[in-house]
Amino acid sequence: MKHFAMSILLAVTGLSAQADLKVFATVPEWGALAKEIGGDKVRVYTATNAFQDPHRIEAKPSLLAQARQANLLVAAGADLEIGWLPLVLRDSGNSAIQNGRSGYFEASAFVNRLDVPATLDRAHGDLHAAGNPHTHLDPRNVLKVGEALTARMAELDAANATSYQAAFKTFASKWQVAIARWEKEAAPLKGVPVLVHHQSFVYLSHWLGLKEVGALEPKPGIEPTSGHLTGLLSRQQTAPARMVLRAAYQQEGPSQWIAGKTGIPAVLLPYTVGGTPEAGDLFGLYDDTIQRLLKGIR
Amino acid sequence: MQKSFAMAALLAASCGAQAATDADLAAIRAQIDEMKKSYEQRIASLEKKLVQAESKASAQPVAAPVVTTEGRQTAASTASGFNPEVSLILQGQYKNMKDVPERGITGFYPAGGHDHGDGAIPGISKRGFSVEHTELVLAANIDPYWRGQAIIAMVDGTAEVEEAWFQSLGLGHGIGLKGGRYRSGIGYLNEQHPHMWDFADAPLMYQAMFGEEASYVQDGVQFKWLAPTETFIELGVEAGRGATFPGTDRNKNGSGAAAAFAHVGGDVGLSSNWRAGVSYLKTKAKEREGHFEDIGGVEALGKFTGDSSTVLADFVWKWAPNGNPKYQNFKFQTEYFSRREKGDLTCSDDEGVGNACDPLVAGDSVTSRYKTRQSGWYAQGVFQFTPQWRAGLRYEQLDSGHRDFGANAANLVVADYRPKKATAMVDYSWSEFSRVRLQFAQDKSMLGITDNQVTLQYVMSLGAHGAHKF
């Protein structure tokens, strides 16, 4: 018992010496952003990886244990994590990160959301009342979220506030330069019609001017059916798409089927940090996404 | 609000025109003038806002519909778009099985539990088509510190409060507090609702432990503590009324049931997660009724008074490639229980059918020692091989174990039996909210009977996404 108490004490003091802020990020992109801002002042735990469907995560024991110790929870929001996060929050016994507290941060709250449904009816699939939650694929959103996240981190860890602000400033200026470069590189993608597996790329399309002419899922969250895919195939005659996009976490079968039938390339996009070997950080994520798209229209 | 007030004022003014004095009228006029002024001001400000919004919108042309959010105020819209969150579970089935009167598990105390059926056809032995459960779930955060949930189960003309509890949100330090009527944290399956079960029915072990409901429900309080460690370690204790099987409802102060549990869990690599637990439940019973069979095969009423203590062990392993369960996943779960009961058993002939418990005259009874030590387990594996299809196997076995009936051993059948059951199921889900299941089971839970059961079941969830436990 004495040893146990000692080891807990050691663990607590040890951690506070290494990291001042313990961040629990639900998805890799916002975990990566917290790392950009926090550097070695934070310890970032990322709850999911790029190969997991962020809609289908379970409130597994390790997530509860991690949430218990976090000072700041960074979520994508807009109901993306509704299937597991509320449970993790409640069972974590951690008051600091509950919804409504300053330790709870939802990225989607700081950006303009697209695809906000006019009617909420499950007949239209698994819609998110607050709009499409995959907001990170517009780099301008990353900047907005970063600004808000920096402010929040500074608020929670005042001792390191200047460090966070400085790191974000550096990141933001590099990011703005990168945005200009990406927009230039991606100019040929403007107006290119594409098919998508799921509405994961709405913000990317909106930013680059890609035209989403169809989705392989008949309704959001419903897996592609052969009937629906055949329908897309016949539409290809009248409104041809030039490639079919899917995220690293989605099955390749339906994309490959469409690609095989139509001769358009099936393009895998990293979707988030870690989705491809090249997408090691946020810069890599966009570099690789644009390169893969450009390769798709060649 | 103000408008209706003004209307009411006008109405009152016109009705009581004769009675109203000039002063009253002047006051009303002044009030109306004031309202007019305030409305005009408000309209003007709204118009101004509209102009501003229009100019903003034209300044940044956006093709798709856009929601403008202003930070934290609108951020908290997650689940509270509907307040409270409402969901409805529709569950029903078609069941083909043998017609066995007083269906039970041989060698185990017949747990009357409470019965959703209509008496003549208790739910557990209902054949053909039936609507098992219609569950209405209401949940919401009460305030920044508490959350509440109620589940109303509706079955054929009756509605009952299946759960009604509040839970702490803001205590911190890993502490969780729950109070009200809730599913006890013991075991693994106990906290899960029937619509989350991987099979159409609960394991025999749960039926033997807790009766037809197959879940131990507490009216009481639960205290949980989550350790600040990388490995998941959770400890919990409960105190409750103890009114349900294996306890009985009694009129007394203090608690009638106590429970304690410990859970550990974690990840193995990216693809596997596990959780293991041990639990303990202690209840007291006073004149707990159950129908027994006497040595001549005649029905006898048994009443148990004494203590019951149950130890449970559970283990769950989940696997999914890269931790992504959407396309493929496998889940293995197993639980074991051991129960000791000690006290007195009174056997009587309440129906006056002349059973062995009535040696003298009608209404007489025999009270004896009652001491049992029984156990059981199940193991199941469910494989989801495509996003829509899953298939599973379950095997289970109970052991009637040591049963000491004292003097009543001469009156009642004390069968030594090991009930067994093997089940196979396959289910299909259109989405995560709709599922149909086909299940085959060979049930040998009753001595001398092999019951081959076919169940076709549906589970449909409407409304708010309920987050499911691991």
Side-chain angles (χ1 to χ4, degrees):
Chain A
M1 196 59 210
K2 207 172 166 186
H3 279 284
F4 182 63
M6 278 294 283
S7 63
I8 284 183
L9 199 73
L10 262 171
V12 170
T13 51
L15 280 173
S16 62
Q18 290 159 10
D20 304 83
L21 200 62
K22 277 168 276 173
V23 180
F24 180 108
T26 63
V27 287
E29 58 268 22
W30 302 131
L33 184 61
K35 251 179 241 161
E36 295 278 358
I37 298 164
D40 60 357
K41 300 281 189 289
V42 296
R43 195 195 74 179
V44 178
Y45 172 80
T46 303
T48 61
N49 66 50
F51 303 103
Q52 293 177 316
D53 185 334
H55 306 86
R56 293 288 181 92
I57 303 299
E58 291 194 307
K60 54 182 183 169
S62 58
L63 297 182
L64 284 165
Q66 291 289 343
R68 156 81 163 95
Q69 302 182 71
N71 308 113
L72 172 62
L73 183 126
V74 181
D79 292 355
L80 181 69
E81 299 98 343
I82 197 162
W84 63 277
L85 190 58
L87 209 72
V88 167
L89 284 176
R90 275 174 238 150
D91 279 356
S92 70
N94 183 346
S95 56
I97 55 168
Q98 299 296 324
N99 195 344
R101 303 288 182 104
S102 54
Y104 180 85
F105 181 92
E106 250 184 39
S108 65
F110 300 94
V111 302
N112 292 339
R113 289 188 295 271
L114 306 176
D115 282 355
V116 177
T119 52
L120 273 178
D121 184 340
R122 287 248 179 85
H124 300 296
D126 189 12
L127 291 174
H128 300 274
N132 192 303
H134 310 283
T135 60
H136 67 286
L137 285 178
D138 182 336
R140 297 167 299 186
N141 285 347
V142 173
L143 219 48
K144 285 184 201 165
V145 173
E147 202 182 336
L149 185 58
T150 305
R152 192 66 67 85
M153 287 166 70
E155 181 190 330
L156 288 170
D157 179 17
N160 289 313
T162 48
S163 159
Y164 298 143
Q165 278 143 4
F168 179 67
K169 217 170 148 189
T170 314
F171 170 79
S173 56
K174 264 168 55 190
W175 194 252
Q176 265 149 348
V177 172
I179 290 179
R181 173 166 57 84
W182 291 324
E183 284 178 350
K184 213 171 125 195
E185 283 172 1
L189 295 167
K190 208 166 194 103
V192 169
V194 295
L195 290 172
V196 295
H197 184 112
H198 170 78
Q199 276 84 353
S200 332
F201 306 112
V202 171
Y203 294 87
L204 181 72
S205 303
H206 180 238
W207 171 49
L208 296 178
L210 289 167
K211 235 171 76 196
E212 292 187 8
V213 293
L216 306 189
E217 289 180 352
K219 305 277 180 193
I222 307 287
E223 276 307 291
T225 57
S226 53
H228 181 71
L229 292 180
T230 315
L232 284 178
L233 207 59
S234 63
R235 239 176 53 200
Q236 186 70 7
Q237 313 295 326
T238 51
R242 290 188 55 193
M243 50 186 160
V244 50
L245 310 179
R246 73 172 193 278
Y249 68 83
Q250 281 151 352
Q251 258 184 340
E252 62 174 351
S255 288
Q256 295 293 4
W257 187 86
I258 287 275
K261 294 279 180 192
T262 57
I264 63 171
V267 178
L268 172 132
L269 297 180
Y271 172 74
T272 183
V273 173
T276 59
E278 296 81 10
D281 62 8
L282 284 166
F283 290 95
L285 167 63
Y286 280 93
D287 283 335
D288 192 38
T289 299
I290 288 167
Q291 289 315 312
R292 282 168 185 262
L293 287 171
L294 289 171
K295 213 171 138 198
I297 56 164
R298 269 211 294 272
Chain B
M1 189 65 200
Q2 269 182 344
K3 205 171 168 186
S4 61
F5 178 72
M7 285 289 284
L10 274 174
L11 207 71
S14 62
C15 289
Q18 286 161 323
T21 63
D22 283 354
D24 286 338
L25 283 174
I28 290 166
R29 273 198 205 104
Q31 210 174 353
I32 291 171
D33 279 349
E34 208 167 284
M35 275 179 206
K36 213 169 139 193
K37 226 188 273 167
S38 101
Y39 272 114
E40 274 163 2
Q41 274 170 2
R42 272 196 232 170
I43 289 166
S45 84
L46 277 174
E47 275 171 349
K48 209 167 125 195
K49 269 189 199 158
L50 189 68
V51 170
Q52 279 173 350
E54 273 171 351
S55 68
K56 238 190 236 167
S58 61
Q60 43 171 173
V62 178
V66 162
V67 167
T68 314
T69 54
E70 288 162 4
R72 259 188 259 179
Q73 284 82 17
T74 44
S77 67
T78 32
S80 51
F82 301 97
N83 191 14
E85 301 147 43
V86 180
S87 57
L88 188 72
I89 315 289
L90 303 177
Q91 203 175 318
Q93 65 179 25
Y94 172 82
K95 194 160 188 173
N96 216 61
M97 62 179 180
K98 275 207 172 101
D99 184 16
V100 182
E102 293 240 18
R103 188 173 276 271
I105 302 172
T106 305
F108 285 79
Y109 200 102
H114 75 226
D115 184 15
H116 279 327
D118 57 11
I121 317 167
I124 203 163
S125 58
K126 228 178 211 176
R127 304 190 299 157
F129 292 99
S130 64
V131 175
E132 295 168 90
H133 253 86
T134 308
E135 269 183 23
L136 179 66
V137 187
L138 299 166
N141 290 335
I142 296 162
D143 59 19
Y145 316 103
W146 302 101
R147 178 178 175 81
Q149 177 169 316
I151 299 181
I152 312 297
M154 293 164 286
V155 184
D156 294 342
T158 60
E160 71 173 38
V161 179
E162 201 162 273
E163 288 192 55
W165 47 262
F166 63 91
Q167 182 186 29
S168 66
L169 296 172
L171 293 177
H173 310 288
I175 295 168
L177 195 64
K178 206 179 203 181
R181 175 174 297 178
Y182 56 91
R183 283 170 186 260
S184 168
I186 58 173
Y188 174 69
L189 207 60
N190 197 66
E191 265 191 312
Q192 298 189 354
H193 283 265
H195 75 268
M196 291 168 60
W197 293 349
D198 292 320
F199 291 84
D201 47 12
L204 287 178
M205 153 181 166
Y206 271 87
Q207 291 174 28
M209 285 192 298
F210 306 129
E212 195 206 319
E213 287 292 278
S215 157
Y216 192 71
V217 174
Q218 294 266 32
D219 283 4
V221 288
Q222 181 189 67
F223 176 86
K224 274 204 295 196
W225 180 70
L226 182 59
T229 49
E230 298 278 301
T231 306
F232 169 82
I233 302 170
E234 184 185 64
L235 307 172
V237 287
E238 295 172 2
R241 183 171 183 84
T244 51
F245 188 88
T248 56
D249 203 3
R250 278 155 307 141
N251 180 14
K252 74 183 272 279
N253 290 324
S255 82
F261 53 84
H263 298 140
V264 290
D267 295 345
V268 178
L270 269 183
S271 305
S272 298
N273 336 108
W274 61 278
R275 199 197 88 166
V278 286
S279 321
Y280 176 75
L281 173 70
K282 171 123 188 170
T283 60
K284 281 177 183 296
K286 193 180 178 193
E287 300 194 335
R288 184 181 76 198
E289 292 188 358
H291 282 177
F292 287 80
E293 197 181 313
D294 86 340
I295 39 167
V298 183
E299 191 181 295
L301 181 71
K303 285 180 180 172
F304 168 73
T305 299
D307 293 348
S308 173
S309 51
T310 310
V311 175
L312 286 146
D314 59 85
F315 178 73
V316 183
W317 181 278
K318 291 190 186 185
W319 171 89
N322 282 315
N324 187 16
K326 183 166 182 180
Y327 300 112
Q328 256 184 20
N329 67 71
F330 179 74
K331 177 178 165 191
F332 172 80
Q333 85 190 49
T334 183
E335 292 189 72
Y336 166 85
F337 89 97
S338 168
R339 169 174 288 170
R340 283 164 187 261
E341 293 202 311
K342 200 176 168 187
D344 296 323
L345 183 74
T346 301
C347 127
S348 64
D349 184 12
D350 65 320
E351 304 274 325
V353 290
N355 65 35
C357 302
D358 188 14
L360 305 169
V361 286
D364 204 353
S365 61
V366 180
T367 299
S368 70
R369 183 172 74 232
Y370 180 84
K371 208 172 149 190
T372 63
R373 194 172 65 238
Q374 306 188 298
S375 63
W377 61 274
Y378 76 89
Q380 68 182 54
V382 175
F383 182 47
Q384 181 190 305
F385 47 98
T386 74
Q388 272 114 15
W389 288 97
R390 305 191 316 158
L393 290 172
R394 177 174 73 189
Y395 183 77
E396 44 193 325
Q397 195 171 316
L398 306 181
D399 186 354
S400 65
H402 167 81
R403 304 174 90 200
D404 179 2
F405 277 34
N408 270 318
N411 303 327
L412 299 173
V413 173
V414 189
D416 186 12
Y417 186 58
R418 286 177 182 229
K420 293 180 184 74
K421 191 174 172 185
T423 312
M425 77 86 189
V426 57
D427 65 26
Y428 179 86
S429 304
W430 286 269
S431 73
E432 57 185 304
F433 309 108
S434 57
R435 172 172 285 167
V436 284
R437 177 181 291 140
L438 181 63
Q439 175 174 307
F440 297 95
Q442 188 173 70
D443 186 346
K444 290 183 180 173
S445 62
M446 292 163 290
L447 181 66
I449 300 174
T450 297
D451 188 13
N452 293 313
Q453 307 169 342
V454 183
T455 312
L456 183 63
Q457 185 198 33
Y458 64 84
V459 182
M460 306 280 172
S461 327
L462 293 71
H465 282 258
H468 281 171
K469 276 196 106 95
F470 176 74

